[in-house]
C-alpha cells in the first residue's frame, strides 16, 4: 500500500508542474499541433514498452469501439480544452478547473454504477473541491507577466472546465480496459488512435490557424522544454504511473489525493511568475488536506493486475 502512496506522490508532483510546462509550450508552439507530437511520441514509446516487457495480448474485437472513443476523448477533446484554455488563462485557472475532477469522477462513477454513494467519500469530495477552489480563486488573477483580458480568461476557464469533464470521463471509462488489457497496452492504443484523430485538426491548423504563420526558428529552449515535459514526463511517465495506481487503487480516492497537485502549481507560479500568495491559500490548503485524509482513510486497494 505504501508503494501506491509513493507513486501517488510522484504523480501529484508531475501533474502540478504540467500546467507550467503547458504555458511554456503554448506560448511559443501552435496549441492544435502540440497533441499530435505529444501523444504520437508517447504512444510509440508505450508501444515499444509493450514489446520490450512482453505485455502485448490479443485485443477482443468488441473493445475497439471503446478504444476509438477513448482516443477521441483523450487527445482532441481534452487537449483542445486544456492547451487552448491554458494559453488564454493561466496555471492557477487550470488548477481551478482540475479541482473539480474528484467530484466529477466520483459522481460519474456513481451514475455508471461503478462506485457506491457513501457519506464519507461525498464529504471528502466536497472538502477537496472547496479547499482547492479557495486556494485557486485566491491566486487566480492575472500576473504582471501573464496579463490577459477578462474575456480571454472567461473563455479559458470554459475550455479548461471542458478539459476537466473530458478527463474525468476518460479516467472512469478506461478502467475496465486497464484491468483487462493492462495500463501500458491500453494507453498505447488510446494515444496512437488519438493521434490519428488529431491529424485533421493539425491540417486545419496549418491551413487556417497558428501553424500557417509558425516559424520554428523562433522557438526558444523554454518552448521545447515545455513540449518535452508534456510529452516524455506527463504523457509517457506520469500517465503510465497514474493508470498503474488506479488499476490497484479505487479511482475516486486516487483522484482526490492527486488533486493536491494544484499546490505545486501555485507554489511554482508564485516563485517564477510573480503570483501573489495570501492567507486564503493556507485556509484552503487545510480544508483540502482534511478531505484527502478523510478520503484515504481505510481505503481498500483493488486487485493487482495479472
Amino acid at each position: 500500500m505504501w508503494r501506491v502512496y509513493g507513486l501517488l506522490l510522484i504523480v501529484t508532483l508531475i501533474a502540478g508542474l504540467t500546467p507550467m510546462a503547458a504555458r511554456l509550450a503554448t506560448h511559443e508552439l501552435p496549441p492544435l499541433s502540440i497533441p499530435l507530437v505529444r501523444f504520437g511520441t508517447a504512444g510509440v514509446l508505450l508501444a515499444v514498452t509493450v514489446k520490450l516487457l512482453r505485455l502485448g495480448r490479443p485485443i477482443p474485437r468488441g473493445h475497439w469501439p471503446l478504444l476509438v472513443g477513448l482516443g477521441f476523448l483523450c487527445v482532441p477533446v481534452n487537449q483542445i480544452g486544456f492547451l487552448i484554455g491554458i494559453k488564454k488563462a493561466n496555471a492557477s485557472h487550470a488548477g481551478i478547473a482540475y479541482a473539480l475532477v474528484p467530484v466529477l469522477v466520483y459522481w460519474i462513477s456513481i451514475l455508471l454504477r461503478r462506485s457506491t454513494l457513501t457519506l464519507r467519500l461525498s464529504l471528502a469530495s466536497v472538502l477537496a473541491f472547496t479547499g482547492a477552489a479557495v486556494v485557486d480563486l485566491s491566486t487566480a488573477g492575472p500576473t504582471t507577466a501573464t496579463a490577459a483580458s477578462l474575456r480571454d480568461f472567461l473563455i479559458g476557464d470554459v475550455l479548461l472546465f471542458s478539459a476537466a469533464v473530458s478527463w474525468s470521463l476518460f479516467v472512469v471509462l478506461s478502467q475496465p480496459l486497464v484491468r483487462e488489457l493492462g495500463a501500458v497496452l491500453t494507453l498505447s492504443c488510446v494515444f496512437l488512435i488519438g493521434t490519428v484523430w488529431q491529424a485533421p485538426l493539425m491540417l486545419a491548423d496549418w491551413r487556417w490557424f497558428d501553424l500557417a504563420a509558425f516559424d520554428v526558428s523562433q522557438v526558444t529552449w523554454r518552448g521545447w522544454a515545455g513540449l518535452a515535459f508534456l510529452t516524455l514526463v506527463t504523457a509517457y511517465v506520469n500517465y503510465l504511473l497514474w493508470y498503474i495506481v488506479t488499476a490497484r487503487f479505487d479511482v475516486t480516492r486516487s483522484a482526490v489525493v492527486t488533486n493536491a497537485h494544484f499546490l505545486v502549481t501555485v507554489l511554482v507560479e508564485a516563485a517564477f511568475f510573480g503570483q501573489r500568495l495570501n492567507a486564503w491559500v493556507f485556509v484552503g490548503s487545510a480544508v483540502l488536506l482534511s478531505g484527502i485524509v478523510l478520503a484515504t482513510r481505510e481505503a481498500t486497494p483493488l486487485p493487482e493486475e495479472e
Side-chain angles (χ1 to χ4, degrees), residues 5 9-10 25 30 53 83 111 118 126 141 160 163 178 195 202 205 209 211 284:
Y5 286 120
L9 176 60
I10 296 173
L53 298 182
L83 294 174
L111 291 174
T118 66
V126 171
L160 288 170
V178 170
T195 301
M202 185 173 179
D205 193 23
F209 302 112
L211 191 57

Side-chain angles (χ1 to χ4, degrees), residues 12 28 49 120-122 154 168 174 198 228 236 266 272 304:
T12 301
E28 301 185 19
T49 303
R120 181 168 62 85
L121 280 178
S122 296
L154 291 176
S168 301
S174 63
Q198 187 67 29
Y236 179 57
V266 169
F272 296 100
E304 294 189 4

Side-chain angles (χ1 to χ4, degrees), residues 110-193:
I110 290 175
L111 291 174
L112 295 178
R113 297 183 179 180
R114 297 182 181 180
S115 290
T116 303
L117 180 63
T118 66
L119 178 60
R120 181 168 62 85
L121 280 178
S122 296
L123 179 58
S125 295
V126 171
L127 287 173
F129 166 72
T130 302
V134 169
V135 175
D136 289 332
L137 287 172
S138 67
T139 59
T143 65
T144 56
T146 59
S149 67
L150 176 60
R151 180 172 176 271
D152 280 344
F153 266 83
L154 291 176
I155 294 173
D157 284 343
V158 171
L159 290 171
L160 288 170
F161 177 75
S162 74
V165 173
S166 62
W167 170 249
S168 301
L169 283 170
F170 177 55
V171 168
V172 174
L173 295 177
S174 63
Q175 289 309 298
L177 292 181
V178 170
R179 292 191 180 114
E180 181 175 345
L181 303 177
V184 184
L185 179 58
T186 300
L187 285 175
S188 178
C189 293
V190 168
F191 285 4
L192 292 175
I193 292 171

Side-chain angles (χ1 to χ4, degrees), residues 70-128:
L70 289 173
F72 182 73
L73 193 62
C74 173
V75 181
V77 175
N78 179 262
Q79 292 299 290
I80 286 175
F82 177 64
L83 294 174
I84 297 180
I86 206 166
K87 184 176 182 178
K88 291 182 175 295
N90 60 21
S92 294
H93 279 230
I96 292 170
Y98 277 84
L100 296 173
V101 167
V103 177
L104 293 171
V105 167
Y106 178 52
W107 289 105
I108 289 171
S109 298
I110 290 175
L111 291 174
L112 295 178
R113 297 183 179 180
R114 297 182 181 180
S115 290
T116 303
L117 180 63
T118 66
L119 178 60
R120 181 168 62 85
L121 280 178
S122 296
L123 179 58
S125 295
V126 171
L127 287 173

